[in-house]
Amino acid sequence: MKLLGFLVIALLLGADVAKKEEKPATAPATRPAGRRDVGVEEFEKLWKEKKGVVLDVRTAKEYQLGHIPGAVNIDVNAADFEKKMAELDKAKTYLVHCASGVRSVRACEKMNRMDFKELINLQGGMKAWEKAGKAVEK
């Protein structure tokens, strides 16, 4: 009898929980507002149309081995990354990339928290750019 009473209480509590879960939930953001992920072709189009500042967030050594012409190099892993970002115009569009796309996402997340308005991330980074045969400057 105690077991039956326990089951009834559990069912009643479960029904109450179910009612609470019926409220619409907001889906978690898959990427920060202000960041748009694009492929090589769209990134190149924006670069050629001078629709933003190309920001290379790799190390200086990686940058010297080859970069997108006109890119500004600020290493996302450097201790002074946030300080250097604070010196940039937050209202401009930034075309952000790294070697493969991981560090550029991290850079965009940091920049988004600093209120940069428009961030465009190159999916696949320089590896995808070079594989597509796009312009590289050394």
Side-chain angles (χ1 to χ4, degrees):
M1 188 55 117
K2 285 184 181 181
L3 181 60
L4 182 60
F6 177 77
L7 289 173
V8 169
I9 291 170
L11 286 172
L12 290 173
L13 288 174
D16 188 44
V17 169
K19 286 179 187 174
K20 290 178 184 174
E21 290 176 8
E22 287 177 17
K23 294 179 185 176
T26 54
T30 56
R31 60 182 158 77
R35 185 185 99 218
R36 185 164 50 109
D37 297 322
V38 300
V40 171
E41 297 304 321
E42 187 172 351
F43 196 90
E44 180 187 41
K45 181 180 180 235
L46 295 167
W47 166 67
K48 283 184 173 179
E49 294 174 354
K50 300 191 185 316
K51 297 288 183 177
V53 176
V54 178
L55 181 61
D56 186 326
V57 296
R58 300 176 299 156
T59 65
K61 186 174 183 177
E62 288 173 297
Y63 178 83
Q64 290 167 358
L65 292 173
H67 56 272
I68 297 173
V72 174
N73 180 226
I74 302 176
D75 183 351
V76 68
N77 292 325
D80 62 349
F81 178 77
E82 284 85 0
K83 180 183 175 195
K84 288 182 178 179
M85 289 295 103
E87 296 170 2
L88 299 178
D89 183 349
K90 293 177 182 179
K92 287 186 177 181
T93 297
Y94 290 90
L95 307 171
V96 186
H97 75 89
C98 63
S100 64
V102 175
R103 287 176 285 176
S104 60
V105 167
R106 195 165 66 245
C108 286
E109 288 170 353
K110 288 181 179 187
M111 293 171 74
N112 191 49
R113 286 192 298 270
M114 296 175 76
D115 295 324
F116 281 82
K117 301 302 177 213
E118 189 171 8
L119 304 167
I120 298 170
N121 177 56
L122 174 59
Q123 293 175 316
M126 273 304 282
K127 289 178 182 177
W129 182 266
E130 290 177 313
K131 185 177 180 182
K134 303 303 179 186
V136 176
E137 184 175 83
K138 293 186 181 190

